[in-house]
Amino acid sequence: MEKEKKEDCIFCRIARKEIKQEIIEETDNFIAFPDANPRTKGHTLIVSKRHFVNMLDMPASLGNELLDVIKRVAEKRLKEGASGFNVVANNFPVAGQIVMHAHVHVIPRYKKDEFKVREIV
Ligand code: 5GP
Ligand code: ZN
């Protein structure tokens, strides 16, 4: 895991700004940036700067800060024209987690988008 953290983990590399990436929001412990494969316009990932594998790994003391970033990203997308948003966190591969570094999806919703929330909840 230490090797993955230092060299290979894509979200660690983005958080360390080793990879050119538009940043939407940044706090002491989180960074928010557009998903490379957006399911709707403005789909944003909120990623912990430290390498936690999933949300169980993340200390609860970061909860307020995470909620604050979620709200800031969502408010920005609403101002840009979204009518609502979904907050999704996939934890462990069976739940669809592909990148094994804790993150939350903020998925803006539009009246006629094609995102099917019923496929995940
Ligand atoms: P998961 O299924 O693990 O919750 O979702 C991982 C998300 O990360 C996917 O939606 C995928 O499109 C996104 N992603 C994977 N690699 C990169 C990357 O290098 N840059 C960005 N911006 N998004 C990525
Ligand atoms: Zn990582």
Side-chain angles (χ1 to χ4, degrees), residues 40-43 73-87 106-115:
T40 67
K41 182 169 169 286
H43 180 176
V73 169
E75 280 162 0
K76 176 175 165 63
R77 296 320 189 197
L78 291 174
K79 276 196 197 121
E80 291 170 354
S83 298
F85 62 98
N86 292 105
V87 177
V106 177
I107 304 173
R109 301 304 306 274
Y110 305 88
K111 297 224 163 67
K112 288 189 177 163
D113 68 42
E114 301 196 339
F115 182 70

Side-chain angles (χ1 to χ4, degrees), residues 3-14 16 19 51 99-101:
K3 183 173 185 293
E4 183 193 356
K5 174 182 170 184
K6 287 205 162 62
E7 295 169 12
D8 299 330
C9 174
I10 187 70
F11 287 176
C12 281
R13 296 192 66 203
I14 290 172
R16 288 198 300 263
I19 295 171
H51 183 87
V99 177
M100 301 308 284
H101 175 133

Side-chain angles (χ1 to χ4, degrees), residues 90-98 100:
N90 301 322
N91 294 277
F92 298 103
V94 72
Q97 186 177 5
I98 293 167
M100 301 308 284

